[in-house]
Amino acid sequence: MRSTIQLLRLLCVVPFLLPALPCRAADDALHAAVARERARPVAPHYPRATFLVRSATPAVALSPDGRQVAYLREQAGHRSLWVLPADGGEPRRLLGGTDARQIDWSHDGRWLLLASPTQLFAVAAAGQGGSRLVAPLGGREQRELLRIDPLQPAAVLLRERVPASLDAPERWRLARVDMQGHRTLLREDARQLVDATLERSGRLAFVERVEGAALVFHRVDASGGLHEVLRCTGLHRCAPLPLADARGRLLLRSDLGDGFDGLRRLEPDGTLTTLHEDPRGEADLDTLALDPVDGTPRIASYRGTVAASHGLDAAAQDALAKLEARYPGRNLEVAIGATHWLVQEQASTLHGARWHLYDVRTGGLRDILAFAPLADRDGRPARWLPEAAMPRKLPLAWIASDGMRLHGFVWLPPGADPARLPLVVLVHGGPWNASRPDEFGGGFVQALVNRGYAVFEPNFRGSTGLGRRYSMAAQGDFGNGRVQQDIVEGTRWLLGRGIGDADRVGIIGASFGGYSTLLGVTFQPQLFKVGVAMVPPPDFAWVLDWVGRTTEALALARYIPFDSWLAALSLDPRDAATMARLHAQAPLAHAREMNRPLLLYAGGEDRRVAIRGVLGYAARLKQLGKDVSLLVDADAGHSNADPVAREAQLYLIVLMLHRHLGGASPEPLDPALREYLGRSLRIAGSDLQAAGLAPSRP
């Protein structure tokens, strides 16, 4: 093994020794992409707020027959429900006001189901009357909409918990509820039910439930008896499709077998047949588009270093070929209807998604829902930024010092010399998450690139969506160890390829990305000259222990017991040696060594990273005379969607980077932003003091 790793290092350092090696091909592709970016016209400078607009259509859904598109539309602070005929004609408004976040059609296309955090509401969409509340959601029962019933004309499947009482233990239920509120119990179980697959007759064929630290599939016989058919352990992904195939076999998405999440079929002898997985051998299955009539998978999509979709039958392949010819290089997410397909077009250069209807009968395409976006702060109509001026998200790959091939992306300002650019390393949160190829960047990344920065987004080991081996390779080394080394080595690799000025490198991130930022300015100050850390855990071991004592553990581990979930990731909080290692490598334990300018941001209502940990770390740095600034939003949680808060964060990031890396200076503060910063700032370091900002309290 050692000789193989040494050979990989040598070949990727001296790539001309073997031109066909993947790292050489990746280098060549990156160099060509960088050259194309440098040859583009220089982009104009755009105001900060123009990057922070949002779509006026937060949810869109195609009817199963393909003849209608339902959508939520925001106007003047109100959200309404509309339906657009696919063949042309004027849209009609069904509801003038709703707090729904999700919309779905019933199987017969006569009802629209509107889901909010607290309720599921049915809207009569065919003029039949009878709109009503279908079921409350959430609450003590943890009731959830599992899916629209794929067989009944107008019904939904709900999953719910029956809390324990003095007379009975906790139970779990799967129920079918129709649009009149009539309820049919499909299954009640002492174990937590996760999901289910139906036979074509409508009865339960398979159920998936939690058994200890495993997700276990059972075939349901005619009398309701269960027979185990598949056991998923060790955090393997196993998610059933809604309907069994024509022969009653279970179809599922799973990474059992060869390590990539793909479409599988469970055979009667218990073996798994792979029906489709990423032809590039790079990414997990991202989305499946199903036939609206029989639930057959028609399109499989993957998002690794590129976004790609694949037709699973001849008709789907032919239609996708036409769509890709019309929208080359895009990520196309498709919803299939009988007469039309709804196509969502996305790209790293496309400020907001675009929507199209594809007529499967004629091959025609029609743009729809071309509403102006909304300004983030006041909700007024705004404009999308022009794609011609937006930077492209360039994929890259490098070989880590232990021989593992890693992936990531870099953004470059059009028309700039990449070697002269200040470089910002943006570390994603999670850490079980990833940077994707079709993301615009939420506005923040594009704004930084527009101000003259190259931005590097590394998908370090432990990142998800790139196969099981990739996501499990961190082996719990989330201190100043292998994962942080991936980020540092990727940064140095990029600098060695002539991208970025090695004397002007900063690091920023939120959540785990904020933790990595603290590690960077503590243990790699020779590389990172400035840091911005949002909602960062100063001690990763401590935050794992704390989260395990809160309801956040349910959100993270979902079904598996939190301690078992962490143990499978080599982060068992019951393992004293693992926790001691993380404590010893924590930025909190090495506060004295942090000698770079640092901006910290915390949320007063954060349930994932306790604010007292961030406050204690900031106080320790202040006591040691470090150049630290601290902003606390008393009303914010682990994330913050407040428009003023988002723009204030962007202002502070640009300010810190400008002062230490030399990019463009931020636009002046308006009264609303200044008032927000005035009440939220707790500690003002030298950079904020120079900008005239002072803490609101001692």
Side-chain angles (χ1 to χ4, degrees):
M1 172 62 88
R2 182 184 296 269
S3 61
T4 301
I5 291 173
Q6 290 172 341
L7 178 62
L8 281 170
R9 291 179 189 169
L10 176 63
L11 292 173
C12 287
V13 172
V14 192
F16 58 81
L17 293 177
L18 188 56
L21 200 71
C23 56
R24 172 62 185 268
D27 268 7
D28 290 346
L30 177 62
H31 290 155
V34 170
R36 287 192 295 270
E37 291 302 286
R38 187 171 183 180
R40 294 174 63 194
V42 175
H45 181 96
Y46 292 102
R48 178 176 59 233
T50 60
F51 292 91
L52 303 178
V53 301
R54 65 181 189 275
S55 173
T57 50
V60 184
L62 179 70
S63 62
D65 63 8
R67 296 186 180 278
Q68 300 182 89
V69 176
Y71 59 95
L72 298 176
R73 184 176 180 187
E74 291 191 12
Q75 294 172 287
H78 298 282
R79 183 173 293 187
S80 51
L81 173 67
W82 297 74
V83 171
L84 174 72
D87 282 321
E90 294 299 314
R92 59 190 176 97
R93 190 175 70 178
L94 297 185
L95 280 181
T98 177
D99 63 350
R101 300 180 183 180
Q102 174 186 336
I103 54 176
D104 292 286
W105 289 89
S106 62
H107 187 59
D108 64 5
R110 293 173 54 82
W111 299 86
L112 277 164
L113 283 302
L114 278 64
S116 74
T118 59
Q119 67 174 17
L120 180 66
F121 192 83
V123 176
Q128 72 272 32
S131 299
R132 66 182 303 278
L133 174 69
V134 175
L137 299 179
R140 292 183 67 241
E141 295 81 11
Q142 300 174 24
R143 188 175 292 111
E144 296 178 274
L145 171 64
L146 184 60
R147 64 177 57 91
I148 303 301
D149 193 308
L151 295 169
Q152 296 296 315
V156 297
L157 302 182
L158 300 178
R159 176 178 52 207
E160 60 192 16
R161 165 180 168 265
V162 182
S165 66
L166 294 175
D167 301 322
E170 176 182 83
R171 307 284 290 174
W172 293 86
R173 290 174 177 164
L174 292 175
R176 173 182 285 131
V177 182
D178 67 18
M179 299 303 98
Q180 286 70 47
H182 299 146
R183 179 185 176 91
T184 303
L185 181 64
L186 299 179
R187 181 80 192 176
E188 182 170 315
D189 205 295
R191 295 187 183 269
Q192 183 177 1
L193 295 169
V194 175
D195 212 331
T197 291
L198 298 176
E199 287 185 349
R200 301 303 171 95
S201 65
R203 80 169 194 89
L204 279 181
F206 300 91
V207 294
E208 181 184 19
R209 65 182 193 177
V210 179
E211 299 184 13
L215 297 178
V216 183
F217 287 88
H218 296 266
R219 180 174 56 81
V220 184
D221 64 28
S223 62
L226 299 184
H227 307 272
E228 182 178 327
V229 294
L230 186 66
R231 180 170 290 260
C232 300
T233 60
L235 303 190
H236 275 288
R237 296 188 183 96
C238 294
L241 269 60
L243 292 177
D245 72 4
R247 294 171 56 184
R249 293 172 296 185
L250 175 69
L251 301 176
L252 70 158
R253 298 176 46 161
S254 178
D255 60 3
L256 286 169
D258 59 8
F260 283 98
D261 192 17
L263 177 61
R264 322 278 183 204
R265 182 178 63 223
L266 182 66
E267 305 296 351
D269 64 1
T271 61
L272 284 173
T273 298
T274 297
L275 303 180
H276 202 272
E277 63 181 26
D278 185 12
R280 295 170 58 91
E282 178 185 88
D284 291 321
L285 179 61
D286 184 56
T287 59
L288 277 174
L290 307 179
D291 187 278
V293 176
D294 62 10
T296 301
R298 302 284 309 280
I299 298 173
S301 299
Y302 303 85
R303 296 198 303 168
T305 56
V306 298
S309 296
H310 304 273
L312 304 182
D313 58 68
Q317 292 166 8
D318 179 64
L320 272 179
K322 294 176 182 176
L323 291 171
E324 289 167 352
R326 176 64 179 83
Y327 307 109
R330 307 298 209 187
N331 178 35
L332 303 177
E333 295 193 8
V334 175
I336 295 175
T339 63
H340 294 81
W341 289 7
L342 177 66
V343 181
Q344 183 183 28
E345 175 195 3
Q346 299 178 80
S348 62
T349 53
L350 203 58
H351 194 192
R354 306 295 191 267
W355 297 94
H356 317 284
L357 278 172
Y358 171 70
D359 192 323
V360 298
R361 301 160 299 182
T362 66
L365 276 159
R366 182 162 72 97
D367 299 339
I368 61 170
L369 309 182
F371 303 120
L374 305 176
D376 204 23
R377 284 171 59 181
D378 59 17
R380 295 181 182 179
R383 293 184 179 180
W384 298 118
L385 291 168
E387 186 175 7
M390 295 296 101
R392 300 184 179 99
K393 194 171 190 177
L394 309 180
L396 51 87
W398 72 98
I399 303 297
S401 56
D402 66 351
M404 183 174 173
R405 192 167 192 257
L406 298 166
H407 302 281
F409 300 91
V410 66
W411 307 70
L412 301 173
D417 178 357
R420 298 177 180 274
L421 295 171
L423 176 64
V424 176
V425 180
L426 173 59
V427 184
H428 69 69
W432 303 284
N433 204 337
S435 177
R436 307 296 186 194
D438 60 334
E439 294 172 342
F440 181 78
F444 277 49
V445 173
Q446 293 278 9
L448 293 181
V449 179
N450 187 249
R451 277 135 186 81
Y453 298 96
V455 177
F456 172 43
E457 294 186 83
N459 278 334
F460 47 83
R461 72 192 67 200
S463 300
T464 55
L466 296 166
R468 179 176 171 81
R469 292 187 185 93
Y470 205 105
S471 63
M472 302 297 286
Q475 290 295 301
D477 201 359
F478 289 105
N480 184 37
R482 185 62 259 180
V483 169
Q484 186 70 7
Q485 196 173 346
D486 287 349
I487 296 164
V488 171
E489 288 177 358
T491 304
R492 294 196 183 281
W493 180 90
L494 201 60
L495 293 168
R497 294 317 189 263
I499 298 175
D501 180 348
D503 293 326
R504 295 188 295 157
V505 181
I507 183 169
I508 65 177
S511 194
F512 179 83
Y515 171 70
S516 176
T517 296
L518 301 186
L519 290 171
V521 295
T522 300
F523 295 107
Q524 295 94 32
Q526 73 284 0
L527 178 61
F528 301 116
K529 306 304 189 294
V530 61
V532 179
M534 293 170 281
V535 292
D539 185 321
F540 196 55
W542 186 87
V543 82
L544 291 177
D545 179 68
W546 182 73
V547 168
R549 304 169 191 271
T550 72
T551 56
E552 283 297 302
L554 297 175
L556 285 169
R558 186 59 172 162
Y559 303 114
I560 304 303
F562 188 64
D563 285 351
S564 299
W565 181 72
L566 288 177
L569 295 165
S570 303
L571 285 169
D572 191 344
R574 299 161 296 192
D575 184 336
T578 296
M579 295 298 104
R581 172 175 53 82
L582 289 174
H583 284 311
Q585 296 178 1
L588 180 61
H590 295 267
R592 192 176 299 276
E593 300 165 38
M594 203 295 292
N595 287 308
R596 290 299 185 191
L598 175 64
L599 170 65
L600 299 170
Y601 171 87
E605 297 297 323
D606 196 336
R607 296 293 180 263
R608 191 159 293 183
V609 173
I611 188 173
R612 64 179 181 271
V614 183
L615 295 179
Y617 177 66
R620 176 64 174 152
L621 293 178
K622 182 69 173 176
Q623 182 184 45
L624 291 168
K626 307 299 183 178
D627 191 1
V628 61
S629 298
L630 172 65
L631 190 83
V632 176
D633 188 322
D635 300 321
H638 195 57
S639 61
N640 195 343
D642 178 77
V644 173
R646 278 168 35 87
E647 189 170 341
Q649 289 175 9
L650 181 54
Y651 167 82
L652 291 176
I653 291 171
V654 172
L655 173 67
M656 294 291 291
L657 298 179
H658 161 68
R659 288 184 56 82
H660 297 283
L661 304 184
S665 60
E667 296 102 309
L669 294 168
D670 62 27
L673 291 175
R674 187 169 290 279
E675 190 275 332
Y676 172 83
L677 291 173
R679 72 172 184 269
S680 303
L681 192 60
R682 297 293 182 267
I683 302 174
S686 62
D687 301 302
L688 274 61
Q689 291 176 24
L693 297 173
S696 59
R697 62 188 72 176

